Amino acid sequence: SESEQDGALQLALVRAALQFSYHAGNAALMVKAGVMDVLCKSLARDFKLEVVFLSLELAWNLLENAPAAAHVALDDAGRESLVSVVTRQVRALLDGGYRAADKEMRNEFLLVAKMLASEERIRLSFFQSGFVKLAVAAAISPEMACEGMALKPFNQTQQAEDLEMKRLAWNLTGELCQNEQCLKEAVGLGLLRSLLMYVDEESAASLAARWPPDQLRDLTLQSLSLMYLVVPHCHAQFSNLDGCRLVMRFVEEARSRDVKMAALRLLRNLASVDKLKTELGQHGAVRLALDLFQDPASEEVVRQDAVAAACGLCKAHEGNQQVFRREGGLDALVGALTQLKSTDQTLPSALAVAVVDCAWAAVAPSRKSLARFLAAHGLDALLDFLESCNPYVFPVVLSCLADMMENPKAHDFFHSWASGVNRQNAAHMILDIWRAEEKARKMVDAQACLTRVARPLAGSVEGRLEWIPSLDMAYTFQSQEKKGVMARMKEVVNGDVICAKVYAVFSKLGFDSLNYLSPIDQSTLCTIEKYVEFKQGEVWQDIAADFESEFLKPTGSDRTRLQSGIDKAEMIARDVVEQQIALNQKYVEYLEADNTMFYNTTMQLAKDEAEAKVYKRSITNLTMKERLEAKLKKEQMLKSSFQKDMTKKNFMEKVDAKIYDSEKDYGPPMIPEDGEGSLGGSP
């Protein structure tokens, strides 16, 4: 018949297109030619037909090899039509697809639906078509039954296809829940309750009876990952289900390494939700995080997640900051900073970033915590770590220092710090960080003066030289997870960020409090002090450049304001150059005076050493004549002294006069009889 011929032709065309779709270039051309509209018609047929299976595989290839082109090619009508077809076929397969081939097709439809749901516009179409209920029903079975959507028993077996359906449904639901309406419906249908069953010890027995250990472990990991994505957007419902307590207990009792790490990451994510911090703190989350962080048996990644969780709990939460201080968190941070100083800093450490970030969140905002941190030599440990850490860690350390310097009590600790390596002070060490960026941009010349008046912070080179070591060479020896961490650090750390942090530290300290620095350090400090003014000048110049590039002419008042801002920044730069010239001359004089002092000291030491080598004759070896001359000189000296009139006769006369005066006042002295009152002994 004619319909059979059309079906055969359609099958042949789909087969031919399928072969072309394995190539990315061909897939993009096919999408542009409108093949997505044709697919809707072939996918809408009876799922038992071969053309539906081949069309589904063709759709998979197109979405995988040309995702951007496929989403662009679908207009509103085509998008709604395709989603409607997928919804009808999944519902039909859940109702009547009991064969193994039907279950495979059901799972492939779910996978294609997930690929479609990566586009924000299509998620709303899924919600409107009723697909969310189908996905949630597949995700929460067999533990729970979805209201108004009961799955047939053949979908709830322990076969590999049905387990795969459950896991695909979880992934798809997580993608759909990025839409607020889909999330609200999914949570209302019981998604969170079913996920929490995998961390609830009361449900452990029933789940263990349902799933083999390996499958239960995989499902637990996936449930934790899905909660990681979903809970921050529905924290109120999560709290109502006592989710904080269940997750806390699960983290404590988890035995599997992978499961414990996934649960700890979920806890770290929950700690960043402001509405859950109080409840987590009441359940002992701060104490648990510190215990895991201080456990010597814990792996580095576990310690990193634990201290990150403590950081999230303490950030902008005074109650958890008090608990952190009471549970020994300050000593733990000081010990960790001391330990990190002795570790290899060739590559930036994610654990180091987490530790400093925790100090930033838990110590810097609290006056009591900061006071105890200072008393425990915490600032010394932080500055010691800054001296040896990888440059990619500079921004977080400098940010923590800047916030700590808001408390004037910390200033004396900062100024009194001295390096254990070369005895440099903290200000000089941070100025060296700034000077590294100066060198990279060639901001100053050989005399340490700014090279440019216009945009002085840009320096005199077009392309900035690299002083922060590249991480590419070490990527070969790192796992994929660590490579991802290094890549994220490389994206956010640059010279502009570091310069801003250096300015923040010195502005909190006060530029007037750094008079003890050398003239060369004072010269660098002149540039840092005007950092904000120089950045404002750059903004004015960028605005003027934008007007010029777009062939726009500002009004007279605007033009005057622009030029005024630019001129002010340049005038400040000229003043800075003059100050630097004067400081440079002072530095030269300081060096000359130092050289002169060194020369005089050296000459005096040489003179003393030469005199020490001259033989001095001992007085014991004098002749009789020399001794007589020395005796006569001594007698002559005594005659000339103030005691020359104190002869023996004068001395006795003065003594008799004092005795007479005494008898006159008190009577003659009493002479005791023999044996009474004597001083003892015979005369």
Side-chain angles (χ1 to χ4, degrees):
S1 64
E2 184 176 353
S3 59
E4 293 178 351
Q5 292 179 356
D6 292 341
L9 178 60
Q10 187 181 43
L11 179 61
L13 290 174
V14 170
R15 282 177 175 171
L18 180 61
Q19 299 303 316
F20 287 110
S21 66
Y22 291 105
H23 186 272
N26 291 338
L29 292 175
M30 294 168 62
V31 169
K32 292 180 181 179
V35 71
M36 298 298 293
D37 296 332
V38 179
L39 274 178
C40 291
K41 298 178 180 179
S42 58
L43 285 172
R45 303 186 67 181
D46 186 356
F47 65 81
K48 296 181 180 180
L49 297 177
E50 183 182 5
V51 68
V52 176
F53 176 77
L54 296 177
S55 299
L56 183 60
E57 188 173 355
L58 174 59
W60 186 351
N61 290 346
L62 295 177
L63 291 170
E64 185 176 33
N65 294 327
H71 287 297
V72 170
L74 289 172
D75 55 10
D76 293 340
R79 189 164 49 248
E80 293 178 1
S81 176
L82 182 58
V83 169
S84 177
V85 169
V86 171
T87 303
R88 280 201 313 271
Q89 293 289 40
V90 170
R91 181 178 285 109
L93 286 164
L94 289 174
D95 289 339
Y98 55 87
R99 301 177 305 170
D102 297 339
K103 293 184 176 182
E104 290 179 3
M105 182 179 291
R106 174 198 63 196
N107 295 344
E108 288 191 13
F109 265 109
L110 292 175
L111 182 58
V112 169
K114 181 183 180 301
M115 298 171 73
L116 289 171
S118 62
E119 178 68 23
E120 172 61 30
R121 296 175 299 174
I122 297 185
R123 294 174 195 147
L124 182 59
S125 299
F126 275 117
F127 170 75
Q128 295 171 345
S129 67
F131 185 82
V132 175
K133 181 177 289 188
L134 297 176
V136 172
I140 66 177
S141 67
E143 294 83 14
M144 294 177 58
C146 180
E147 182 180 354
M149 181 63 195
L151 293 186
K152 298 293 180 64
F154 60 77
N155 292 305
Q156 304 179 33
T157 69
Q158 295 181 354
Q159 295 178 356
E161 293 83 2
D162 293 329
L163 176 63
E164 184 183 10
M165 178 199 71
K166 183 177 182 64
R167 301 188 64 178
L168 287 171
W170 268 354
N171 288 335
L172 174 58
T173 305
E175 197 76 44
L176 292 172
C177 285
Q178 296 183 42
N179 178 272
E180 185 177 356
Q181 293 172 298
C182 294
L183 173 64
K184 185 177 181 180
E185 182 178 7
V187 172
L189 291 172
L191 177 64
L192 275 182
R193 289 196 300 273
S194 67
L195 293 175
L196 286 172
M197 291 179 66
Y198 286 86
V199 297
D200 188 357
E201 59 181 4
E202 296 180 359
S203 305
S206 61
L207 292 175
R210 172 71 185 180
W211 304 106
D214 292 342
Q215 293 181 354
L216 179 59
R217 171 184 167 277
D218 293 341
L219 289 173
T220 303
L221 287 173
Q222 192 167 2
S223 67
L224 293 170
S225 299
L226 186 54
M227 282 191 284
Y228 184 95
L229 296 174
V230 173
V231 171
H233 305 289
C234 55
H235 53 80
Q237 296 86 338
F238 181 79
S239 179
N240 293 335
L241 294 172
D242 202 16
C244 292
R245 182 187 64 82
L246 294 176
V247 171
M248 283 287 304
R249 183 180 298 177
F250 186 77
V251 172
E252 289 180 323
E253 298 177 354
R255 296 291 178 263
S256 171
R257 174 184 177 275
D258 294 340
V259 173
K260 192 177 189 69
M261 289 175 58
L264 187 56
R265 286 175 183 171
L266 172 60
L267 177 61
R268 182 188 68 184
N269 198 33
L270 297 178
S272 64
V273 181
D274 293 336
K275 300 294 185 179
L276 297 178
K277 290 181 180 181
T278 301
E279 185 176 354
L280 287 169
Q282 292 172 351
H283 288 298
V286 177
R287 178 192 54 78
L288 174 61
L290 285 174
D291 289 343
L292 292 173
F293 175 62
Q294 297 181 84
D295 186 2
S298 297
E299 299 181 38
E300 179 175 332
V301 64
V302 174
R303 298 184 65 218
Q304 173 189 333
D305 287 335
V307 73
C311 173
L313 289 167
C314 294
K315 187 171 294 185
H317 196 284
E318 186 176 353
N320 287 340
Q321 291 171 6
Q322 294 177 358
V323 176
F324 184 86
R325 181 173 64 246
R326 188 170 59 248
E327 295 291 340
L330 302 179
D331 292 335
L333 290 179
V334 175
L337 289 170
T338 305
Q339 183 181 7
L340 286 169
K341 181 180 181 296
S342 60
T343 58
D344 183 17
Q345 296 295 326
T346 304
L347 288 175
S349 169
L351 174 61
V353 174
V355 169
V356 178
D357 195 25
C358 185
W360 188 8
V363 178
S366 173
R367 298 183 68 86
K368 288 186 178 179
S369 296
L370 181 57
R372 296 188 184 182
F373 186 75
L374 295 173
H377 305 286
L379 186 61
D380 293 341
L382 185 62
L383 291 171
D384 288 340
F385 175 68
L386 176 62
E387 185 180 25
S388 61
C389 71
N390 189 280
Y392 283 90
V393 190
F394 284 167
V396 64
V397 180
L398 293 173
S399 298
C400 181
L401 277 175
D403 279 6
M404 287 183 177
M405 291 307 110
E406 287 189 356
N407 190 334
K409 294 182 179 179
H411 293 187
D412 291 339
F413 291 87
F414 179 91
H415 294 307
S416 63
W417 179 85
S419 167
V421 179
N422 53 14
R423 306 307 297 170
Q424 66 175 337
N425 55 58
H428 179 81
M429 176 180 64
I430 297 177
L431 287 172
D432 280 343
I433 296 175
W434 176 280
R435 279 191 280 261
E437 185 64 22
E438 277 187 343
K439 183 178 179 181
R441 303 184 186 190
K442 293 187 177 180
M443 290 169 54
V444 296
D445 54 20
Q447 286 73 37
C449 298
L450 292 175
T451 55
R452 293 179 60 182
V453 175
R455 303 181 76 94
L457 297 178
S460 59
V461 292
E462 294 296 333
R464 174 184 172 278
L465 304 176
E466 290 294 336
W467 65 276
I468 300 179
S470 175
L471 302 176
D472 297 336
M473 295 300 294
Y475 276 179
T476 309
F477 309 101
Q478 299 293 320
S479 64
Q480 292 297 327
E481 183 178 1
K482 287 189 176 181
K483 287 181 181 180
V485 173
M486 304 303 170
R488 290 194 294 273
M489 286 186 179
K490 189 174 181 180
E491 290 176 359
V492 300
V493 177
N494 54 61
D496 290 332
V497 173
I498 292 176
C499 287
K501 304 300 182 182
V502 170
Y503 169 79
V505 173
F506 285 121
S507 64
K508 298 298 182 182
L509 283 168
F511 292 95
D512 296 337
S513 66
L514 302 167
N515 297 327
Y516 58 86
L517 294 175
S518 65
I520 195 66
D521 286 344
Q522 293 285 351
S523 177
T524 304
L525 205 60
C526 289
T527 305
I528 299 175
E529 187 174 2
K530 302 301 180 182
Y531 174 80
V532 173
E533 287 81 355
F534 291 155
K535 295 300 289 185
Q536 289 174 346
E538 291 181 1
V539 171
W540 289 119
Q541 291 183 359
D542 292 340
I543 293 174
D546 290 341
F547 275 121
E548 185 176 356
S549 64
E550 297 178 5
F551 302 101
L552 297 175
K553 187 175 181 180
T555 62
S557 59
D558 290 341
R559 190 163 55 250
T560 302
R561 184 70 184 92
L562 282 173
Q563 192 60 41
S564 174
I566 296 172
D567 293 343
K568 180 180 178 181
E570 294 181 357
M571 181 182 65
I572 293 174
R574 292 189 185 93
D575 292 340
V576 170
V577 171
E578 292 179 1
Q579 295 177 24
Q580 290 175 332
I581 292 174
L583 289 168
N584 185 53
Q585 181 62 31
K586 185 177 179 180
Y587 182 62
V588 172
E589 295 173 357
Y590 165 78
L591 291 179
E592 291 178 353
D594 188 61
N595 289 335
T596 302
M597 182 181 296
F598 174 76
Y599 174 77
N600 294 336
T601 304
T602 304
M603 295 301 295
Q604 184 63 38
L605 289 174
K607 181 179 179 180
D608 295 343
E609 184 177 358
E611 291 179 355
K613 293 180 180 179
V614 176
Y615 173 73
K616 293 184 179 180
R617 194 174 182 182
S618 175
I619 193 172
T620 59
N621 297 326
L622 296 177
T623 63
M624 292 298 295
K625 184 178 181 180
E626 291 172 340
R627 290 183 181 181
L628 179 59
E629 292 176 353
K631 182 179 179 181
L632 294 175
K633 289 181 180 179
K634 182 177 180 182
E635 290 178 354
Q636 183 62 33
M637 180 186 67
L638 292 175
K639 289 180 180 180
S640 302
S641 67
F642 68 94
Q643 293 181 346
K644 61 182 180 179
D645 61 338
M646 189 63 67
T647 61
K648 182 176 181 181
K649 181 180 179 180
N650 293 336
F651 175 76
M652 294 304 298
E653 290 178 352
K654 290 183 178 182
V655 170
D656 292 341
K658 288 184 177 182
I659 292 175
Y660 174 77
D661 293 338
S662 176
E663 292 177 351
K664 182 178 179 181
D665 295 335
Y666 302 103
M670 298 180 63
I671 299 176
E673 297 181 358
D674 293 341
E676 296 181 2
S678 64
L679 296 176
S682 58

